[in-house]
């Protein structure tokens, strides 16, 4: 066991496959362990590098390995897949994790703290409720459309739908009317739960210094600031703001060869929640600029004069990502810049 320098672990709920190797990559042991056996085995193992795929429960086990005195690293599953030899099984996956971790250019996932995971779960829970509510609203609108009633898009137009269902003079069948009322009760319940989580997110965003600082930037609110704190790795892991924007997928997709640069659409690689919310925040700034003119000669004014608003919003989102990197690495609040208009209420 003293020869082992790196251990690859294929995680599961009850059965864990462990592959130990020396510094030169030569295998030392292969084990299949239960959950309790794995816990005891890793506790007794001499200090080494423990590598796992970044999957469900991985951050918990990485913190446990650090508590046992090991060095823990996580790898994205897509970077492990090329190293799986022939047939895919748990033992081969554990060996492939070791092979991938020994590559000098391998990229690793930062281990999240319990506080980060708490914020991530709160964010995910609200997103799930919003998606469920949207699904029910669309179902309700579809039912009414079958009988010739057109309801406008958006949760803010629920009053119009209530009027249609409550009007006894409409030719909606009784059974359909009762079903629609049941859907409206579910939508109202989801709205209450969503608003409760939104208040919780607002409170959490006021507690942390990072989220408070991020909200000094126009277009960044409590939800986006919480998502950045929960899902983004430490900004010190990026050499510059452009690297953070590239990690979010806010850069063109490259298909270059033969010395010719071919840039396509936005790559959409990286963390999709932060990217989506950044673009939404940038759109709010762009819409505000169309109502109130941005400073004459500013970057935003020049872009709006010759480019579509959505394209300008994506470009502005990339600038916002670079500014966020600068704010968090330097520990400074947002400083006004002529490329954006004053912050809206």
């Amino acid at each position: 066991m003293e020869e082992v320098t790196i251990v690859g672990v294929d995680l599961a709920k009850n059965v864990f496959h462990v592959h130990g190797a020396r510094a030169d990559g030569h295998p030392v042991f292969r084990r299949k362990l239960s959950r309790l056996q794995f816990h005891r085995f890793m506790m007794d193992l001499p200090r080494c590098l423990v590598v796992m795929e970044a999957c469900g429960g991985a951050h918990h086990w990485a913190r446990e390995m650090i508590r046992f005195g090991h060095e823990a690293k996580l790898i994205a599953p897509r970077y492990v897949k090329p190293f799986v030899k022939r047939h895919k099984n748990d033992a081969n996956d554990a060996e492939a994790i070791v092979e991938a971790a020994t590559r000098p250019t391998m990229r690793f996932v930062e281990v999240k703290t319990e506080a980060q995971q708490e914020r991530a779960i709160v964010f995910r829970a609200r997103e799930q409720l919003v998606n469920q509510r949207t699904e029910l609203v669309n179902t309700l609108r579809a039912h009414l459309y079958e009988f010739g009633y057109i309801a406008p898009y958006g949760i803010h137009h629920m009053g119009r739908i209530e009027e249609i269902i409550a009007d006894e003079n409409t030719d909606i069948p009784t059974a359909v009317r009762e079903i629609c009322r049941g859907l409206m009760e579910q939508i109202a319940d989801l709205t209450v739960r969503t608003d409760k989580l939104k208040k919780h997110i607002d409170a959490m965003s006021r507690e942390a210094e990072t989220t408070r600082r991020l909200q000094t930037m126009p277009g960044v609110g409590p939800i986006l600031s919480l998502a950045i704190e929960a899902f983004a790795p430490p900004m010190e892991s990026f050499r510059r703001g452009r690297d953070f924007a590239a990690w979010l997928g806010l850069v063109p997709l490259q298909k270059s060869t033969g010395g010719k640069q071919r840039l396509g659409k936005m790559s959409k690689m990286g963390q999709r929640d932060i990217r989506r919310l950044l673009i939404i925040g940038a759109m709010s700034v762009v819409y505000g600029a169309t109502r109130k003119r941005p400073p004459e000669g500013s970057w935003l004014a020049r872009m709006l004069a010759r480019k579509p608003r959505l394209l300008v919003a994506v470009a502005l989102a990339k600038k916002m990502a670079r500014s966020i990197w600068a704010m968090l690495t330097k520990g400074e609040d947002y400083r006004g810049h002529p490329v954006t208009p004053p912050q809206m209420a």
Side-chain angles (χ1 to χ4, degrees):
M1 290 297 183
E2 294 180 358
E3 298 178 344
V4 177
T5 59
I6 182 170
V7 175
V9 181
D10 183 71
L11 296 174
K13 294 182 178 66
N14 299 310
V15 179
F16 298 75
H17 283 77
V18 183
H19 182 93
R22 296 201 301 245
D24 58 1
H26 186 78
V28 177
F29 64 81
R30 296 182 178 92
R31 298 283 181 88
K32 179 181 177 181
L33 306 172
S34 67
R35 190 181 186 89
L36 182 59
Q37 290 173 339
F38 173 72
H39 194 275
R40 293 174 177 172
F41 179 81
M42 298 307 298
M43 187 183 297
D44 298 334
L45 192 69
R47 187 181 187 278
C48 59
L49 173 63
V50 181
V51 190
M52 298 164 280
E53 286 185 331
C55 58
H59 293 278
H60 161 74
W61 282 113
R63 291 193 297 268
E64 285 291 299
M65 297 303 105
I66 294 173
R67 190 168 64 86
F68 294 160
H70 302 297
E71 180 185 0
K73 289 186 177 182
L74 303 178
I75 305 179
R78 66 174 62 184
Y79 294 151
V80 175
K81 187 176 180 180
F83 297 93
V84 177
K85 298 184 179 69
R86 296 180 72 84
H87 302 289
K88 183 190 183 307
N89 54 53
D90 294 341
N92 287 346
D93 287 346
E95 181 180 356
I97 291 172
V98 172
E99 292 283 347
T102 55
R103 300 301 95 190
T105 59
M106 181 53 60
R107 300 175 182 177
F108 297 96
V109 178
E110 293 289 337
V111 178
K112 294 185 182 299
T113 63
E114 290 183 357
Q116 284 180 301
Q117 288 193 291
E118 176 193 10
R119 285 160 169 74
I121 290 175
V122 172
F123 177 87
R124 295 290 190 208
R126 180 189 173 276
E127 289 287 300
Q128 184 181 30
L129 292 178
V130 171
N131 292 336
Q132 291 175 354
R133 186 179 65 178
T134 302
E135 180 183 358
L136 290 176
V137 171
N138 290 337
T139 302
L140 186 58
R141 293 177 64 254
H143 291 342
L144 294 178
Y145 183 64
E146 292 293 334
F147 295 92
Y149 295 97
I150 308 300
Y153 289 102
I155 190 67
H156 302 295
H157 297 289
M158 282 298 298
R160 170 60 180 156
I161 297 178
E162 292 177 6
E163 292 175 1
I164 296 174
I165 296 173
D167 188 359
E168 298 294 338
N169 296 322
T170 57
D171 56 353
I172 300 175
T174 303
V176 176
R177 196 185 302 273
E178 290 300 320
I179 290 173
C180 290
R181 285 172 179 165
L183 290 174
M184 289 181 59
E185 291 177 1
Q186 295 181 56
I187 293 170
D189 178 63
L190 288 173
T191 300
V192 172
R193 294 165 63 187
T194 302
D195 293 342
K196 184 178 179 180
L197 272 179
K198 178 62 168 60
K199 292 179 181 178
H200 187 46
I201 289 174
D202 292 343
M204 294 176 72
S205 66
R206 289 192 296 268
E207 293 173 358
E209 179 66 20
T210 300
T211 52
R212 185 206 62 77
R213 174 170 289 119
L214 289 172
Q215 291 180 72
T216 61
M217 174 184 290
V220 178
I223 297 176
L224 175 54
S225 61
L226 188 78
I228 292 173
E229 187 183 33
F231 300 120
M235 292 297 156
E236 293 76 14
S237 60
F238 301 105
R239 292 184 299 172
R240 51 186 178 268
R242 290 181 179 180
D243 293 343
F244 177 52
W247 180 79
L248 290 173
L250 290 169
V251 294
L253 182 65
Q254 287 197 45
K255 293 185 178 179
S256 304
T257 183
K260 296 181 180 180
Q261 295 292 328
R262 294 186 177 90
L263 302 180
K265 298 180 180 179
M266 187 172 59
S267 67
K268 295 185 180 180
M269 297 179 181
Q271 221 292 325
R272 65 180 64 183
D273 296 299
I274 299 177
R275 181 179 63 250
R276 173 176 57 85
L277 293 172
L278 265 178
I279 294 175
I280 292 174
M283 282 298 298
S284 68
V285 175
V286 170
Y287 280 128
T290 57
R291 292 194 299 267
K292 300 177 182 179
R293 288 189 176 183
E296 194 69 28
S298 65
W299 175 88
L300 189 57
R302 296 195 305 271
M303 289 289 289
L304 287 173
R306 57 190 179 90
K307 297 292 184 180
R309 285 185 296 183
L310 182 57
L311 190 148
V312 176
V314 174
L316 180 57
K318 181 180 178 182
K319 281 184 170 290
M320 291 170 63
R322 293 166 63 178
S323 298
I324 287 171
W325 176 86
M327 290 165 57
L328 297 184
T329 52
K330 297 178 181 179
E332 299 178 359
D333 290 351
Y334 178 77
R335 292 182 291 183
H337 195 275
V339 298
T340 56
Q343 185 170 3
M344 296 176 292

